[in-house]
Amino acid sequence: MNRLTSTLSNLKANNQKALVAYLVAGDPDMDSTLDLMHLFVESGVDVIEIGVPFTDPIAEGPTIQRAHDRALKNNISLKMILSLVDEFRKSNKETPIVLMGYLNTFISHIDLVQATGKDGIDSILVVDIPGELNLETYGISNPNINTISLISPTTKENRVELIANNSTGFIYYVNLRGVTGSSNLNISEIENNIGRIKKYTDLPTLAGFGIKTTEDAKTLAKFSDGIIIGSSIVEMINEASTTKEFDRIGKYIKDMKIAIS
Amino acid sequence: MTSNKFNYPDKEGFFGEFGGKFVPETLMYALEELENTYSKLKDDKDFIKEFYSDLSAFVGRPSPLYFAQRLTDKYKSGNIWLKREDLNHTGAHKINNTVGQILLAKHMGKKRIIAETGAGQHGVATATVAARLGLECHIYMGSEDVRRQSLNVYRIKLLGAHVHAVDSGSATLKDALNEAMRDWVSNIDDTYYIIGSVTGPHPYPMIVRDFNSVVGQEVIKQSKDLFNKMPDAIVACVGGGSNAMGIFYPFIEVQETRLIGVEAGGKGVSTGEHAAPLNDGTPGVLHGARSYLMQDEAGQVKDTKSVSAGLDYPGVGPEHSWLKDIGRAEYVAVSDDDALKAFHEVTELEGIMPALETAHAFAYLEPLMKELDSSSNVVINVSGRGDKDINTVAEIDGIEF
């Protein structure tokens, strides 16, 4: 079984919620990214989501856009990210890794994605493809890698089913109409929509976008299978980019983990 | 609106292997809503009547097909005709599309209009139609373009629209498009996004083409009236490619007419510093569509270089990529220097000051006319007028006001 699938089903069996944390590879540099990945795990992160930098990240708010720009100044490529994952796997074979990015960077490296073995990345989330299409359409059909699809507040019911049937990792529910790092969560709408998704699939449904506080996390964990946090961590990484003292991030993650437990 | 045996895009929005809908999930419903509205209205008699009535009374169509005597005399190898889109209200072809799309927005009950702009012409054209209907309007423009097109920025503001300068990335048209898409994702319920070129996700390349194809339809009629046959060649500049697509589309099945798109060669295609993806790009996905794209080996989009803000874009409309691959249209590139030379020459010879974008099409006359004989007829699409570029040209010529 895929590492991501088994991790999420173990959590579910123990009545626990998943904590997914996001960072952008190479922001501020690759050594820091590796350190941060280990810090994430030590602090209670269940799944690591690595942002693959792209010049035109249309779904990202300013915080994550700037992180993409910083990473691109370091010439970070998908090839380097896959090497980073190999390095991480030398001491961690348990924590699932999801790559989140934009179609153009993945289709430029189909050979590398196809060559990924069992101990590499576990899943790919492509932000800019319609959820009912799967990665095979684009030449990516690696049995070691599963697909995460996004469902948003504007997804119509007839497409929820199509998208759910097409996802193999988890369903990423986009909490709001907006880009990453936006605010103003509409809790009752999120609850209704996640409930609707669950009518169509047994896949875990995780909530992401706009989660900032432990209160947000606690509320959303009540009706989702877990939460994804990105912009607030990326901002803290940026603030510590010169000192490389990331302790605050560890504490933030621990607090989030407690909030959803 | 245009019936044509060349029947693209397909229902998924593809022109062969180009096009499609590569967008975040949140936008899918808005694209579907737009597609449904457009497919209902495009054959609706009242809608068509309203569109053509606005084109006539508000835009000033049809635009003339004008015989360029002194340019013709210069090359002595064929008649040169100018399709005068520069005479449209607001000074460019861009208004054709915005007049059409604002009618769609009205039918959909949208209260807020957004658009991206490069040279500012689409921003002006959008702010103009929004003002006419009293709709809130936001224009995204790269901060580099805000600087070099300050006249148009002021025009947009005078029309009551808000201009948002975009600093991210290369601070030009592609970044303005990114930011407009982010606005759309965030305000999807009440906002209509008027894309300004034949780019973006399906159904935009089709809709923008259809609204702009009034230009080619007029040229068919005017060619019959003025020289009693179809043109031997049509030349148009290509950034995203809306003026070119508008004049090419009705001619796709007119096999005797060569269709020539002129991209921005910047400092020269061989230098890599240009904006000519059809000449020097590879297929990739940007802004919702698969098309030729200026990108590096890692799939990152490259910065572009052109003296013309309206052509300074790393991608191109997917239908152009398709026309290139099936060999129906030819795509060439013209350097900044040659475009500037043509700008001055056309202004002095014809008393018509073309936009720097359009000057690229004029510059291609030099090699093209050598291939033609004196009985031939060539149509240049004069996509816009050059008033907006006076500051840029003066700066290059070292003139201070």
Side-chain angles (χ1 to χ4, degrees):
Chain A
M1 195 191 279
N2 176 288
R3 191 167 11 227
L4 177 65
T5 308
S6 62
T7 299
L8 293 176
S9 62
N10 285 344
L11 284 166
K12 201 163 192 171
N14 293 317
N15 216 10
Q16 286 180 331
K17 306 295 182 176
L19 180 62
V20 183
Y22 172 95
L23 46 55
V24 176
D27 171 38
D29 53 64
M30 277 303 209
D31 288 343
S32 299
T33 302
L34 186 61
D35 291 346
L36 282 159
M37 288 167 74
H38 288 300
L39 175 71
F40 279 12
V41 176
E42 287 159 21
S43 311
V45 163
D46 300 297
V47 178
I48 299 172
E49 189 179 29
I50 301 180
V52 181
F54 183 49
T55 40
D56 298 85
I58 55 172
E60 315 298 346
T63 301
I64 293 179
Q65 276 176 53
R66 286 193 287 263
H68 280 242
D69 285 345
R70 290 191 294 269
L72 288 173
K73 285 213 175 75
N74 296 332
N75 292 313
I76 303 304
S77 65
L78 190 62
K79 191 174 182 178
M80 291 161 75
I81 295 170
L82 293 171
S83 304
L84 168 82
V85 171
D86 289 341
E87 191 62 33
F88 177 78
R89 286 279 179 246
K90 285 181 185 166
S91 52
N92 182 321
K93 294 210 188 316
E94 296 80 43
T95 307
I97 294 176
V98 176
L99 294 191
M100 179 175 186
Y102 293 79
L103 186 59
N104 206 50
T105 45
F106 291 112
I107 55 179
S108 299
H109 290 293
I110 287 173
D111 52 334
L112 296 178
V113 176
Q114 286 295 84
T116 296
K118 264 185 149 7
D119 279 328
I121 56 167
D122 303 284
S123 189
I124 288 180
L125 195 175
V126 181
V127 184
D128 55 347
I129 60 169
E132 68 268 39
L133 292 183
N134 64 37
L135 291 174
E136 282 177 30
T137 318
Y138 306 98
I140 297 171
S141 58
N142 184 333
N144 297 311
I145 298 173
N146 63 21
T147 309
I148 294 167
S149 298
L150 298 150
I151 291 180
S152 89
T154 60
T155 304
K156 283 195 192 155
E157 187 129 2
N158 61 338
R159 295 188 62 249
V160 169
E161 188 171 11
L162 280 171
I163 295 170
N165 288 340
N166 206 19
S167 202
T168 51
F170 60 82
I171 302 286
Y172 188 130
Y173 180 71
V174 178
N175 287 328
L176 43 82
R177 292 161 182 76
V179 291
T180 51
S182 306
S183 46
N184 299 328
L185 298 176
N186 179 343
I187 299 297
S188 66
E189 183 189 63
I190 299 169
E191 183 170 11
N192 281 337
N193 284 340
I194 290 180
R196 193 177 64 161
I197 294 166
K198 288 186 167 296
K199 282 199 298 185
Y200 294 103
T201 181
D202 293 328
L203 277 177
T205 302
L206 277 61
F209 279 48
I211 301 173
K212 292 189 168 71
T213 65
T214 51
E215 276 306 302
D216 298 336
K218 191 172 182 175
T219 311
L220 293 178
K222 283 179 192 151
F223 43 79
S224 67
D225 296 301
I227 60 156
I228 303 147
I229 41 177
S231 294
S232 40
I233 292 177
V234 169
E235 185 54 42
M236 282 186 256
I237 293 173
N238 183 36
E239 283 164 12
S241 61
T242 33
T243 62
K244 310 273 166 72
E245 286 167 11
F246 299 122
D247 310 356
R248 203 174 128 224
I249 297 165
K251 182 175 182 312
Y252 177 75
I253 289 169
K254 281 176 192 157
D255 290 345
M256 284 294 193
K257 183 75 177 176
I258 292 165
I260 64 169
S261 299
Chain B
M1 300 193 156
T2 313
S3 67
N4 209 317
K5 275 184 273 170
F6 176 90
N7 196 12
Y8 290 95
D10 65 20
K11 68 179 173 43
E12 308 296 329
F14 281 91
F15 305 85
E17 58 179 293
F18 301 106
K21 276 189 222 181
F22 298 95
V23 293
E25 175 58 27
T26 308
L27 295 180
M28 286 300 286
Y29 118 101
L31 294 174
E32 201 176 305
E33 186 188 22
L34 177 59
E35 201 177 338
N36 291 340
T37 304
Y38 182 67
S39 68
K40 259 185 251 154
L41 291 177
K42 74 182 170 66
D43 300 316
D44 179 279
K45 281 194 183 105
D46 291 336
F47 179 80
I48 293 170
K49 200 176 150 198
E50 195 176 6
F51 176 58
Y52 280 99
S53 150
D54 283 351
L55 287 181
S56 158
F58 188 66
V59 177
R61 302 207 71 88
S63 69
L65 186 62
Y66 170 77
F67 180 60
Q69 181 72 58
R70 295 189 70 207
L71 271 175
T72 298
D73 291 346
K74 183 197 163 190
Y75 291 107
K76 296 188 183 69
S77 56
N79 301 314
I80 296 168
W81 300 86
L82 309 183
K83 180 58 176 166
R84 299 293 308 276
E85 292 300 295
D86 58 313
L87 293 179
N88 291 342
H89 179 42
T90 72
H93 71 285
K94 293 287 187 189
I95 192 82
N96 305 325
N97 166 46
T98 60
V99 160
Q101 287 205 55
I102 203 85
L103 289 179
L104 296 178
K106 191 173 85 174
H107 278 271
M108 292 164 80
K110 303 288 183 182
K111 301 284 178 236
R112 187 174 173 274
I113 301 297
I114 59 170
E116 85 293 340
T117 196
Q121 287 304 116
H122 178 59
V124 169
T126 302
T128 298
V129 294
R132 186 170 168 240
L133 293 188
L135 299 175
E136 180 186 337
C137 182
H138 297 266
I139 305 294
Y140 290 90
M141 192 166 181
S143 53
E144 171 62 16
D145 293 337
V146 167
R147 187 191 64 78
R148 57 182 168 173
Q149 301 289 346
S150 55
L151 187 66
N152 271 343
V153 172
Y154 185 54
R155 286 170 79 193
I156 295 166
K157 288 180 180 166
L158 285 173
L159 288 158
H162 306 271
V163 177
H164 303 270
V166 177
D167 283 320
S168 59
S170 55
T172 60
L173 179 55
K174 96 178 164 69
D175 309 285
L177 235 148
N178 291 339
E179 213 50 40
M181 285 210 170
R182 290 177 188 125
D183 179 312
W184 199 26
V185 170
S186 308
N187 299 287
I188 191 124
D189 294 325
D190 69 342
T191 297
Y192 185 100
Y193 179 16
I194 301 187
I195 289 188
S197 194
V198 287
T199 51
H202 179 66
Y204 280 107
M206 171 180 75
I207 291 177
V208 179
R209 172 199 73 193
D210 288 354
F211 287 141
N212 247 321
S213 62
V214 64
V215 179
Q217 288 156 15
E218 287 174 5
V219 172
I220 286 183
K221 183 176 180 303
Q222 290 165 325
S223 299
K224 281 180 195 154
D225 293 348
L226 291 165
F227 48 87
N228 203 28
K229 55 178 182 170
M230 288 299 106
D232 296 278
I234 294 177
V235 186
C237 62
V238 176
S242 64
N243 92 77
M245 209 59 238
I247 197 165
F248 287 179
Y249 188 62
F251 280 93
I252 286 177
E253 291 183 14
V254 181
Q255 292 297 341
E256 66 263 40
T257 304
R258 283 172 68 185
L259 305 176
I260 303 169
V262 184
E263 294 194 299
K267 294 188 170 173
V269 171
S270 61
T271 66
E273 292 187 51
H274 56 77
L278 291 166
N279 280 277
D280 190 34
T282 50
V285 174
L286 179 70
H287 296 146
R290 184 170 187 275
S291 196
Y292 279 91
L293 180 63
M294 289 179 56
Q295 57 182 330
D296 65 17
E297 283 170 6
Q300 304 295 351
V301 179
K302 284 191 200 166
D303 284 350
T304 51
K305 184 88 189 164
S306 171
V307 69
S308 144
L311 303 183
D312 208 352
Y313 182 66
V316 64
E319 194 162 6
H320 285 296
S321 293
W322 176 233
L323 292 178
K324 171 191 157 78
D325 276 14
I326 62 173
R328 179 59 191 98
E330 307 156 47
Y331 294 92
V332 297
V334 153
S335 70
D336 284 352
D337 287 349
D338 288 345
L340 283 161
K341 203 175 122 214
F343 171 89
H344 286 294
E345 182 181 272
V346 174
T347 304
E348 287 169 21
L349 283 181
E350 293 292 343
I352 292 170
M353 187 186 295
L356 282 177
E357 292 76 15
T358 315
H360 286 72
F362 278 110
Y364 193 66
L365 283 173
E366 183 86 39
L368 176 67
M369 296 315 281
K370 288 179 188 148
E371 302 168 16
L372 302 176
D373 62 45
S374 57
S375 68
S376 57
N377 291 285
V378 173
V379 174
I380 300 270
N381 198 17
V382 186
S383 54
R385 58 181 176 235
D387 311 42
K388 69 181 176 63
D389 294 312
I390 287 176
N391 287 334
T392 305
V393 174
E395 198 175 301
I396 290 166
D397 291 344
I399 293 162
E400 273 182 55
F401 296 116

